Amino acid sequence: MKTESKNWSRGRRLLMKVACCALLGASGSLLSCSQYDLDERTPEGWGASIYSWLADQGNFTNTVRLIDDLGYHEVLAKTGSKTLFVADDAAFERFYQNNTWGVKSYRDLSTSQKKLLLFGSMMNNSMQLNSLPSVEGNPPREGEAMRRFASSSPYDSVTVLQPSQMPDNRYWSRFKEAGLPMVCMTDNTEKTLVQFIEKLLTNKRITNSDYDFLFNNTTKRQAGDASINGMQVANPNIKCSNGFIHQMAEVVMPLPNMAEVIKMKSNASAFNHLLERFCAPYPDLHPDRDASMTMQYNFLYPDRQVDTVYQKRFFALKSQGGTALNKSPDNGPVTMLKFDPEWNAYFTGDAQTGNTAIQRDMAVMMVPSNAALDDYWQNGAGKILRDQYKTWDNVPDEVVSELINNNMLSSFVISVPSKFSNILNDANDPMGVDIADIDSVWLGCNGAVYLTNKVYSPTSFVSVLYPALTNESMKILYWAAQKCRYNVYLNSLNARYSLFIPDNNALLQYVDPCSYGKGKTQLFRFHWDPTKVAQPDRQADERVWASIWNYDPETGEVGDSLRKASFDEIKDRLQDILDNHIVIGDVEDGHDYYQTKGGTILRINRTDGGAFTVEGSYQVDNGTPLSISQVYDQTKDGNGKAYVLHSEPIMTTRKSVFDVLSEHEEFSMFRELLESSDLLENIHDNLYASPSNNLSPFNTYHYTVYVPTNESIKKLIDSGKLPTWESVEIAKESGNLTLATTDSLEIVSFLKYHIQDNSLVIGGGTDDDVHETALIDAKTQRFYQVQTKLEGNELTICDKATDDWVAANPTMRGSAEYNNRLARVLTSSGLYNLMAREYQYNSTVPNSATQIQTTSSAVVHLIDKPLMFKE
């Protein structure tokens, strides 16, 4: 015993970070070891040491024995700067009557248990009670600290796992099958004390009712009440020469982390079985080095020498040090949880915030009881999983992780009952947590565990994204949704979606819009590689990769392989694919055209029996409608339907508005006016090249371009109401620059007034609204508007000239003359709903473009007469 204690003391000096100055100040009632009230006057001397005071009282014999047995007498009798949370002998007697260790008296305590009792209730700073919630700084920030590191070491008690105690997954199976125990640390980071003190509760707006809830309503908190690790402070601020003593009502025990809390609870065993899928024993990588876990363990416990010490860790986006643990012990790919519940030193925020972040907050896990999880599986939202997978063990890790992550709350501070309305689910919608649904609360050193009597199911199980989550053949699109954060958007139950899902096969046939300005069209072929390691959202991830090929769109022939796409290129194209495969609304409501999230237009071609094909503008151009291979109906409890595409994805046209105009002689006069204006550009802001002549008024939106017939424009010119570019040149040549400028502005204004915000598609629903055009009124500095009415197959436009005429002649609205003044889309011509898309690239030269900088979409209609913004 003496040898072990001596080795342990030497080891502790290596492991512990001992503070060299005391944090003093702040208000509160202070008792010195010689009974001075420091709030009233400062004593002449510092009084007795911590050890002396405890020994002199006569009713702290258990704590004194702990100090003596562990060789800590010298530190607490003479030196050091410590804070102790101690219980008297009466409290220890109650502890011996009821504890999870099964000890009945002091003599039953093992050395490890003694270490946990002493050092788990000690801090390496001298702090009075009201200073504990202060975060270090200059000046300190009061009311911020919820947790502080205890003086304990991860080596004070190291678990020896028996095979029957090991988690049941493939990472542990070889150890279980060997039938041998293993030395396995439940996280190799220091534990914290959890402190609820007045200033903290006030500052974090945690109410007395919240506090009582955390202690399962066994308390009735009053102002000034405080607790450490769930035990009430009975007599605070006993000041000694080398620190503070805070007498506790009961014995303070080190808190296990959330993962170990859950593991210990028999009524949460079903959830724990799911949770422990995501953990593995990580071996000491360098067991022969001085600072390794193995070397330190063997030094401290020479009678228990082992070859390797392991630590239990969970695959998580956020683990030790705030970084991701995204590989198995054998460097294989894993599915990650939101955070590692085994991580003692968990903190919110990023890895740069260090101890301050650890002090400020902790996490929460909502854990359904066995009964709640079974009811969810049999009768609740989990029935969709039961129908598909039959047993929980068959549900893939990617799916189970959605359930667990939805019940992992990153911040305890905003997850107490008074703030339940602020808790959001995986779609960033209110989760609807109700205090009545929480059976009990267990505190851990890194967070609180709420045992629930219902399952808070992720919306991803009932959303249109569910097929991509659960089907390996659709993983590329699901990966894209995660990387682009579209999963939050598509999981929202506050909207109705129609999601077209190109499966992995379809995504082998993506014609690259960035190649429209290059010498040869190129094809992206996306691939899914499940053997690669997952990375946190938005970080480079090799599970999806793409090869780039030359491609002949006329013959469909795939040419030479060029190179692999970069992560940024892949993410850029997949985001564009997502934008053009999402429709907000129901594509089965009877219309022919629908607008996507990206502003482009889809055409639906209905067949007998309710089936349909779908076309993007690329498919419309090429006459290749896409069949739906499978439909997933998520409308009952979810947010719409998903339609699987197997042949190719929906794609968009390479035609700009100018290209569309150039294809039809009926648009020639409008095109000629446009071509000679300054409204066309092939590079924007001298930065972003385009594959064609783009309309400069376009700005990352969707538009309607109305093109008057050649005859109506000629009539306007012949009547002298619209100048021509020839007349502008004549004015210039004659030296009449004023007239040339006036006529030039008149033509440009005429053109701009025919460009309207919002794409209106005949066959795409109804519209009766006012829309802005691209023309600004010089007097008001507001955009001129047009009034449109779209109903059935007729779209009429009331221009400002007509609106002004009606204002002067109000009785004429609805008359034959009024109707004759309205412009109408000439559907009989077939020149309507013509789709265009204009691209800007991330390069000044189209041939070197690698990403889409931005796009705008438009539909072009032939109309029977010009739109006039003035008489």
Side-chain angles (χ1 to χ4, degrees):
M1 177 67 74
K2 290 183 178 178
T3 302
E4 182 177 342
S5 179
K6 180 179 179 181
N7 284 339
W8 175 84
S9 297
R10 288 173 57 202
R12 176 164 294 277
R13 288 195 292 271
L14 294 173
L15 299 170
M16 300 304 294
K17 303 173 183 177
V18 180
C20 53
C21 63
L23 178 61
L24 300 176
S27 61
S29 175
L30 299 175
L31 297 175
S32 79
C33 292
S34 49
Q35 304 303 310
Y36 281 103
D37 187 340
L38 296 185
D39 269 349
E40 301 298 326
R41 56 196 177 93
T42 302
E44 296 179 0
W46 287 98
S49 67
I50 291 173
Y51 183 87
S52 298
W53 189 89
L54 291 170
D56 290 346
Q57 301 310 301
N59 62 335
F60 291 92
T61 60
N62 283 270
T63 302
V64 171
R65 290 179 69 181
L66 289 173
I67 297 169
D68 290 338
D69 287 354
L70 296 174
Y72 223 62
H73 172 272
E74 290 297 310
V75 175
L76 296 180
K78 297 181 180 179
T79 61
S81 179
K82 305 290 183 181
T83 299
L84 263 68
F85 302 95
V86 300
D88 62 18
D89 292 338
F92 264 93
E93 285 304 313
R94 291 190 294 274
F95 167 76
Y96 296 138
Q97 297 302 312
N98 182 22
N99 62 80
T100 58
W101 293 344
V103 298
K104 301 299 183 182
S105 66
Y106 184 89
R107 63 176 173 272
D108 294 337
L109 293 171
S110 68
T111 301
S112 292
Q113 290 169 341
K114 292 175 183 178
K115 294 175 187 177
L116 294 175
L117 286 173
L118 179 61
F119 300 111
S121 59
M122 181 189 300
M123 293 192 325
N124 293 327
N125 281 319
S126 175
M127 302 189 75
Q128 59 176 295
L129 189 71
N130 284 341
S131 294
L132 289 173
S134 297
V135 170
E136 291 80 356
N138 189 17
R141 297 191 60 178
E142 296 185 352
E144 289 287 332
M146 177 182 297
R147 300 157 67 209
R148 289 186 177 276
F149 284 117
S151 299
S152 57
S153 158
Y155 298 91
D156 287 347
S157 179
V158 181
T159 303
V160 178
L161 279 179
Q162 300 299 322
S164 62
Q165 298 172 309
M166 296 176 188
D168 188 17
N169 69 42
R170 62 189 179 91
Y171 304 106
W172 298 82
S173 59
R174 70 181 180 93
F175 300 99
K176 291 171 72 77
E177 291 167 3
L180 298 175
M182 68 187 307
V183 176
C184 185
M185 307 182 78
T186 51
D187 189 70
N188 187 29
T189 59
E190 298 172 13
K191 287 189 175 182
T192 61
L193 292 161
V194 177
Q195 53 190 35
F196 295 127
I197 300 169
E198 187 73 33
K199 287 184 179 179
L200 168 82
L201 300 176
T202 301
N203 186 53
K204 300 294 186 181
R205 295 182 174 86
I206 298 174
T207 68
N208 288 347
S209 294
D210 293 334
Y211 181 96
D212 294 337
F213 162 83
L214 296 172
F215 296 101
N216 299 299
N217 293 308
T218 59
T219 60
K220 191 169 181 61
R221 187 181 186 278
Q222 303 297 317
D225 288 354
S227 66
I228 306 295
N229 279 10
M231 301 302 170
Q232 304 302 306
V233 179
N235 185 18
N237 302 327
I238 302 169
K239 180 70 181 74
C240 300
S241 62
N242 54 349
F244 278 96
I245 294 172
H246 303 292
Q247 184 178 347
M248 308 299 294
E250 304 294 342
V251 174
V252 174
M253 293 278 288
L255 295 173
N257 55 54
M258 290 183 290
E260 297 307 306
V261 168
I262 296 167
K263 186 178 180 67
M264 289 186 293
K265 303 299 181 179
S266 59
N267 55 348
S269 59
F271 185 86
N272 183 66
H273 179 69
L274 298 177
L275 180 65
E276 289 197 325
R277 281 193 191 191
F278 303 91
C279 71
Y282 283 80
D284 197 338
L285 295 179
H286 306 287
D288 55 340
R289 294 185 182 176
D290 287 346
S292 71
M293 292 188 298
T294 305
M295 287 287 284
Q296 294 191 56
Y297 176 83
N298 288 337
F299 176 80
L300 292 170
Y301 302 100
D303 56 334
R304 310 177 196 168
Q305 298 281 310
V306 294
D307 293 331
T308 303
V309 172
Y310 295 82
Q311 63 172 320
K312 178 184 176 185
R313 298 182 65 187
F314 282 76
F315 320 131
L317 292 166
K318 192 170 187 179
S319 185
Q320 293 177 11
T323 59
L325 182 61
N326 60 355
K327 295 180 183 179
S328 66
D330 57 1
N331 291 320
V334 297
T335 299
M336 291 183 284
L337 301 179
K338 187 183 294 184
F339 55 76
D340 180 352
E342 196 84 33
W343 177 27
N344 295 328
Y346 168 86
F347 59 81
T348 58
D350 58 44
Q352 313 303 317
T353 51
N355 286 353
T356 299
I358 293 170
Q359 293 174 354
R360 291 176 189 268
D361 208 346
M362 56 185 185
V364 169
M365 288 188 67
M366 297 199 300
V367 176
S369 67
N370 294 343
L373 194 61
D374 183 64
D375 183 65
Y376 172 80
W377 179 257
Q378 299 292 341
N379 308 307
K383 188 175 182 295
I384 190 173
L385 303 178
R386 180 171 66 90
D387 292 345
Q388 182 170 352
Y389 298 110
K390 310 307 179 188
T391 69
W392 271 115
D393 286 342
N394 291 336
V395 181
D397 288 350
E398 293 84 354
V399 180
V400 173
S401 67
E402 292 281 318
L403 173 63
I404 295 173
N405 285 337
N406 191 55
N407 288 274
M408 284 182 148
L409 310 180
S410 299
S411 171
F412 168 85
V413 169
I414 61 173
S415 302
V416 293
S418 63
K419 304 172 187 176
F420 275 175
S421 61
N422 297 325
I423 297 177
L424 305 180
N425 61 19
D426 55 332
N428 279 349
D429 295 327
M431 188 178 283
V433 179
D434 191 323
I435 195 169
D437 295 325
I438 297 176
D439 176 87
S440 50
V441 180
W442 305 310
L443 280 183
C445 67
N446 57 353
V449 176
Y450 295 171
L451 182 71
T452 62
N453 53 34
K454 67 173 286 186
V455 176
Y456 289 93
S457 185
T459 58
S460 58
F461 287 2
V462 294
S463 80
V464 291
L465 201 54
Y466 177 76
L469 165 66
T470 59
N471 197 313
E472 193 73 12
S473 68
M474 305 175 201
K475 284 299 182 185
I476 295 175
L477 187 100
Y478 189 75
W479 179 95
Q482 288 184 307
K483 290 298 177 184
C484 300
R485 299 293 294 160
Y486 278 42
N487 55 330
V488 175
Y489 176 81
L490 289 169
N491 286 337
S492 174
L493 302 184
N494 291 327
R496 167 70 184 262
Y497 296 107
S498 297
L499 173 65
F500 293 89
I501 301 178
D503 65 17
N504 297 352
N505 181 76
L507 288 169
L508 294 170
Q509 303 294 328
Y510 175 67
V511 178
D512 181 21
C514 263
S515 69
Y516 288 165
K518 299 179 180 179
K520 291 185 177 181
T521 302
Q522 294 172 355
L523 188 76
F524 265 55
R525 293 195 147 174
F526 295 97
H527 305 269
W528 171 250
D529 185 353
T531 68
K532 297 297 183 182
V533 172
Q535 300 291 345
D537 290 352
R538 306 193 183 211
Q539 291 187 21
D541 189 328
E542 295 181 350
R543 287 177 299 166
V544 170
W545 63 279
S547 53
I548 304 176
W549 305 71
N550 281 328
Y551 180 69
D552 186 340
E554 293 186 4
T555 65
E557 182 179 349
V558 179
D560 297 332
S561 174
L562 303 176
R563 62 183 177 86
K564 286 182 69 173
S566 70
F567 170 75
D568 288 340
E569 288 175 297
I570 291 170
K571 185 178 172 184
D572 175 72
R573 302 309 193 279
L574 286 172
Q575 181 166 342
D576 193 57
I577 288 171
L578 283 166
D579 281 338
N580 295 299
H581 283 72
I582 299 169
V583 173
I584 303 172
D586 179 9
V587 297
E588 296 186 43
D589 65 3
H591 299 301
D592 298 327
Y593 293 90
Y594 297 87
Q595 189 172 73
T596 68
K597 180 180 182 297
T600 59
I601 301 298
L602 304 184
R603 185 165 72 185
I604 300 297
N605 309 294
R606 304 185 192 283
T607 60
D608 293 338
F612 63 87
T613 60
V614 61
E615 297 172 278
S617 52
Y618 178 91
Q619 281 84 20
V620 171
D621 290 345
N622 292 280
T624 54
L626 305 177
S627 298
I628 309 300
S629 65
Q630 193 169 0
V631 179
Y632 289 83
D633 189 347
Q634 300 286 86
T635 54
K636 181 180 178 182
D637 298 310
N639 61 358
K641 289 186 179 182
Y643 306 90
V644 181
L645 306 174
H646 185 66
S647 59
E648 67 183 33
I650 295 167
M651 292 180 282
T652 55
T653 183
R654 66 192 303 154
K655 297 176 185 177
S656 66
V657 170
F658 187 77
D659 293 333
V660 171
L661 299 179
S662 299
E663 288 182 339
H664 302 281
E665 182 60 29
E666 293 87 342
F667 297 147
S668 60
M669 291 199 71
F670 189 86
R671 183 189 70 243
E672 289 166 4
L673 291 173
L674 182 63
E675 190 171 16
S676 298
S677 74
D678 59 359
L679 297 182
L680 294 176
E681 62 180 16
N682 52 34
I683 185 168
H684 185 72
D685 289 343
N686 293 318
L687 293 173
Y688 310 119
S690 304
S692 181
N693 288 316
N694 285 0
L695 283 171
S696 60
F698 282 7
N699 185 23
T700 317
Y701 197 58
H702 51 91
Y703 303 88
T704 304
V705 178
Y706 299 108
V707 183
T709 62
N710 292 337
E711 295 76 15
S712 66
I713 294 178
K714 185 176 184 303
K715 182 178 179 181
L716 203 63
I717 292 172
D718 291 344
S719 65
K721 294 181 180 179
L722 178 66
T724 64
W725 291 113
E726 289 79 6
S727 66
V728 171
E729 289 302 316
I730 291 171
K732 287 181 181 178
E733 291 172 2
S734 65
N736 192 343
L737 298 182
T738 300
L739 178 61
T741 299
T742 300
D743 285 354
S744 177
L745 288 174
E746 193 72 20
I747 298 171
V748 170
S749 296
F750 174 81
L751 293 169
K752 285 184 173 181
Y753 194 59
H754 287 77
I755 300 171
Q756 168 203 294
D757 289 353
N758 300 297
S759 293
L760 296 183
V761 188
I762 294 174
T766 60
D767 178 82
D768 189 356
D769 208 348
V770 174
H771 301 281
E772 292 182 339
T773 69
L775 178 63
I776 293 180
D777 187 331
K779 293 181 180 179
T780 65
Q781 289 300 299
R782 301 183 69 175
F783 288 99
Y784 281 104
Q785 298 176 331
V786 292
Q787 171 77 46
T788 60
K789 185 170 185 178
L790 172 61
E791 191 170 8
N793 289 323
E794 184 175 42
L795 172 57
T796 59
I797 308 101
C798 177
D799 58 25
K800 187 176 187 304
T802 300
D803 198 50
D804 289 345
W805 176 79
V806 170
N809 303 277
T811 60
M812 299 300 291
R813 183 179 294 278
S815 66
E817 185 175 356
Y818 169 79
N819 289 329
N820 189 53
R821 293 177 67 105
L822 299 178
R824 287 175 169 78
V825 173
L826 295 172
T827 55
S828 60
S829 69
L831 299 178
Y832 67 99
N833 290 354
L834 304 180
M835 302 179 201
R837 196 177 190 208
E838 303 198 342
Y839 305 86
Q840 293 176 17
Y841 301 140
N842 66 336
S843 170
T844 57
V845 181
N847 199 49
S848 61
T850 59
Q851 293 184 48
I852 302 168
Q853 185 67 28
T854 190
T855 67
S856 296
S857 300
V859 291
V860 179
H861 301 300
L862 182 68
I863 57 176
D864 62 353
K865 59 177 61 69
L867 304 177
M868 307 300 292
F869 58 93
K870 60 182 179 180
E871 283 290 347

